[in-house]
Amino acid sequence: MHSLTLAEIGRALAAKQFSAEELTRHLLDRIARLDPQLNAFISVTEELALGQAQAADARRAAGENGALLGAPIGHKDLFCTQGVLTSCGSKILGNFAAPYDATVVTKLASAGSVTLGKLNMDEFAMGSANESSHYGPVKNPWDASRVPGGSSGGSAAAVAARLLPAATGTDTGGSIRQPAAFTNLTGIKPTYGRVSRWGMIAYASSLDQGGPLARTAEDCALMLGAMAGFDAKDSTSVDQPLDDYLAALGQPLAGLRIGLPVEYFSAGLDARIADAVLACVEELKKLGATVKDISLPNMQHAIPAYYVIAPAEASSNLSRFDGVRFGYRCENPADLTDLYKRSRAEGFGAEVKRRIMVGTYALSAGYYDAYYLKAQKIRRLIKNDFVKAFEEVDLILGPTTPSAAWKLGENSNDPVAEYLQDIYTITANLAGIPGLSMPAGFVDGLPVGVQLLAPYFQEGRLLNVAHQYQQVSDWHKATPAGF
Ligand code: GLN
């Protein structure tokens, strides 16, 4: 049962091959046996899951037949789940049971999905390795000595290890696509504003987007169809009709114009990853796509701009964690200032503190123009690069990451080395366009991801191209040994 995709599970449940409760018990058992090797879960919500599974079985028995009715999933631990620990990977929220469900959680639950647990993540979604979590690092199921990527590393590891068929993640600078690439999954970051951020604990509000991680594009289409849509509770949610992502999967690729940015294939990219990406391009050509070189000239400025904007927004968002309103409070504060200072000093980890300091500095009176305003101008240039490129091509393709999964601890003392790994993913967040990563091969036994980028609201195009590729390739079917 655990090797089935979400789409296959939906069909098996409809055909009464097993019940949602049987499936849930089977996966809860796998989580109990196998997760200690991975540390993908912060909480396992057994009682909630069994209740939801029984309710889904009852709805099916009464004649309902939704594709996600009884489908087991997990949520990254920054989606608020009512009455359940929502830690955001941090000690400061280590005792925070959310008083309500995030919109994404509500939507997936009403589609009948079953929540098996809350998934480990970098603290406040800051990181690319899942090593900054207060709950310990997550291991990559393909090689337990390596990172699964971050910040949605728990979601990725759990799905790759077949503990769950799909999970939610969030992507501020690559945190869905990069862990998908490192663990051989498909993951999509939607257009900014397509998925509600209400109840999703904020890191950098102008960049954060929720999305799914799963094994196939078809499963991502199923999940995204249930997660996305206008939400009046999120002022940045876009009021535009939702495409039928499953229906989008049938389009032939004949005539699809793909652009390969020259900047993506230059120094810094592992040559074996470049070969895997170009082999994928050849397959897409066989399906009828045409390919040309394009340029995204401002890409080189993306990392410095992002690492000003994201910390600036984070420093503001994280000011609410003060030891009074949420979560952790220090012991025996001498006065109010001591309470603020020590609650934050004891509650936040090193990377979060680093970002708060960088962000506060960049926003301070004497430096605002030099850093924050400059970064915002670069952001506009990057957006313009994409708008121009999409006048000539329908889709942009390149590697998701410059290297495959690195060793645990390899970059943990060198934050800048880790920031540089985000080079290919960050631009999509700065511009707000959708991006997808899909499996495209292996280097030394480690998965390689190809990234597809499309114009605003063309999630259907991304999912269709990935789906067509997955009809003629088997990379996404590979399973890590022992799982
Ligand atoms: N690695 C990037 C960061 O640390 C992206 C994280 C994310 O997308 N949440 O900010």
Side-chain angles (χ1 to χ4, degrees), residues 298-379:
N298 291 294
M299 188 180 108
Q300 53 174 318
H301 305 304
I303 288 183
Y306 172 91
Y307 279 98
V308 169
I309 294 169
E313 293 185 12
S315 71
S316 165
N317 276 324
L318 270 57
S319 64
R320 72 189 59 155
F321 302 104
D322 56 4
V324 176
R325 286 172 290 186
F326 300 96
Y328 178 80
R329 179 178 299 169
C330 67
E331 298 280 341
N332 305 319
D335 54 27
L336 188 60
T337 308
D338 186 45
L339 179 142
Y340 289 153
K341 275 192 178 166
R342 280 203 292 122
S343 298
R344 286 168 70 84
E346 293 165 18
F348 287 135
E351 185 59 28
V352 173
K353 286 178 189 161
R354 184 178 295 119
R355 307 253 182 139
I356 291 173
M357 285 191 283
V358 168
T360 305
Y361 182 83
L363 290 178
S364 59
Y367 297 101
Y368 183 91
D369 289 0
Y371 292 106
Y372 189 71
L373 206 62
K374 187 76 153 206
Q376 291 288 34
K377 287 180 180 167
I378 291 171
R379 184 174 190 173

Side-chain angles (χ1 to χ4, degrees), residues 76 125-128 151 170-175 203 306-307 310 355 422:
K76 185 174 182 176
M126 298 173 185
S128 310
S151 62
T170 60
D171 191 312
T172 304
S175 284
Y203 161 19
Y306 172 91
Y307 279 98
R355 307 253 182 139
D422 299 334

Side-chain angles (χ1 to χ4, degrees), residues 61-132:
E64 262 191 72
N65 228 346
L68 290 177
L69 194 49
I73 60 161
H75 291 296
K76 185 174 182 176
D77 207 22
L78 52 54
F79 286 100
C80 285
T81 38
Q82 189 171 10
V84 174
L85 173 67
T86 300
S87 74
C88 218
S90 185
K91 178 178 173 185
I92 212 157
L93 287 176
N95 59 2
F96 176 67
Y100 60 85
D101 280 336
T103 296
V104 160
V105 172
T106 304
K107 277 176 163 276
L108 283 165
S110 54
S113 70
V114 173
T115 302
L116 267 58
K118 303 293 295 291
L119 296 155
N120 205 344
M121 54 179 286
D122 277 302
E123 186 177 4
F124 283 97
M126 298 173 185
S128 310
N130 217 120
E131 291 179 297
S132 75

